[in-house]
Amino acid sequence: MKHFFPPRRSGSFFLIGTLTFCLVLASFVSNAQNRWSVEFRPGFNLPTSDAADGDLKNGFGLEGTVAYRFLPNLSAYAGWSWNRFGSKESFAGTDLDFEETGYTYGLQFLYPLGASETSLLLRAGGLWNHVEIEDDDGNTLFDTGHGFGWQVEAGLSIPLAERFRLQPSVRYRSFSGGLEIGPFSRDLDFKYISLGLGLSYIF
């Protein structure tokens, strides 16, 4: 008695599925090309307020962000930043450091300037940050805990090469948090201007 078995097609189905997936992935990558960017931005910071009666000195900071362009001139960005200020005199003691760290997010708008490839850079967004007060040995004395803040920024986006852009900018940042000092509490208003020079890579 002869038995008839249909030809095996699992291999063909697998091959067709793999080719289809590769074509879809290639199409996605092609469409998403040059929509992503990463930026590294060091900055010099000028405080515009005394944080909880702390006489803050000029500081510096670093930031890294990732952006996705979803409209021709508009992108959404998110990143992480660290900024440090010294203080000779403050409510918490002498020769202390105020360190602000946390996350940033928002929208970025690039507007081409005439026939030039240079663009006006505008950003506005929020913060989810906290401020730590540290002594000379790096020990944390006080921490505000994470809270919301905001920032605005303006600058230029200048092409350096096919995928690299230099982005000098001026930023204003504001963050408010609370400090628990024994049985007492204090409000800390952290406001400063940041002069930064970012390097962006587009992919």
Side-chain angles (χ1 to χ4, degrees), residues 126-152:
L127 309 171
W128 177 245
N129 286 2
H130 71 127
V131 175
E132 295 179 340
I133 302 176
E134 300 180 350
D135 60 19
D136 287 339
D137 297 325
N139 300 314
T140 300
L141 304 178
F142 304 103
D143 189 338
T144 64
H146 280 82
F148 288 103
W150 58 273
Q151 69 177 26
V152 290

Side-chain angles (χ1 to χ4, degrees), residues 151-163:
Q151 69 177 26
V152 290
E153 184 175 352
L156 297 174
S157 183
I158 306 167
L160 289 180
E162 182 180 357
R163 295 182 179 271

Side-chain angles (χ1 to χ4, degrees), residues 40-43 45 60-64 80-84 173:
F40 174 71
R41 180 188 187 274
N45 302 327
F60 59 93
L62 301 170
E63 182 179 86
W80 182 87
S81 65
W82 169 86
N83 293 279
R84 182 176 184 175
R173 176 174 280 194

Side-chain angles (χ1 to χ4, degrees), residues 13-198:
F13 288 145
F14 176 78
L15 179 59
I16 293 172
T18 302
L19 290 175
T20 302
F21 174 77
C22 290
L23 290 173
V24 171
L25 181 61
S27 175
F28 173 79
V29 171
S30 177
N31 291 333
Q33 194 172 22
N34 298 333
R35 287 183 177 269
W36 292 92
S37 63
V38 293
E39 181 185 16
F40 174 71
R41 180 188 187 274
F44 177 71
N45 302 327
L46 305 168
T48 61
S49 66
D50 293 331
D53 299 327
D55 184 18
L56 297 182
K57 298 186 291 185
N58 295 336
F60 59 93
L62 301 170
E63 182 179 86
T65 57
V66 177
Y68 177 76
R69 181 173 55 84
F70 58 91
L71 289 176
N73 300 105
L74 192 62
S75 303
Y77 70 86
W80 182 87
S81 65
W82 169 86
N83 293 279
R84 182 176 184 175
F85 300 82
S87 176
K88 289 184 178 180
E89 299 288 341
S90 72
F91 68 92
T94 60
D95 296 324
L96 300 179
D97 291 325
F98 288 68
E99 290 195 2
E100 178 206 27
T101 57
Y103 306 96
T104 179
Y105 55 91
L107 295 176
Q108 169 182 291
F109 179 72
L110 290 175
Y111 183 78
L113 298 177
S116 170
E117 294 186 5
T118 298
S119 297
L120 175 66
L121 169 68
L122 299 174
R123 287 187 182 133
L127 309 171
W128 177 245
N129 286 2
H130 71 127
V131 175
E132 295 179 340
I133 302 176
E134 300 180 350
D135 60 19
D136 287 339
D137 297 325
N139 300 314
T140 300
L141 304 178
F142 304 103
D143 189 338
T144 64
H146 280 82
F148 288 103
W150 58 273
Q151 69 177 26
V152 290
E153 184 175 352
L156 297 174
S157 183
I158 306 167
L160 289 180
E162 182 180 357
R163 295 182 179 271
F164 288 94
R165 300 184 75 89
L166 194 65
Q167 301 190 149
S169 66
V170 179
R171 170 186 297 170
Y172 180 78
R173 176 174 280 194
S174 175
F175 168 79
S176 297
L179 291 172
E180 299 294 332
I181 307 173
F184 305 102
S185 62
R186 300 185 68 118
D187 293 328
L188 187 151
D189 292 323
F190 215 65
K191 303 180 189 333
Y192 59 92
I193 295 171
S194 176
L195 308 176
L197 184 62

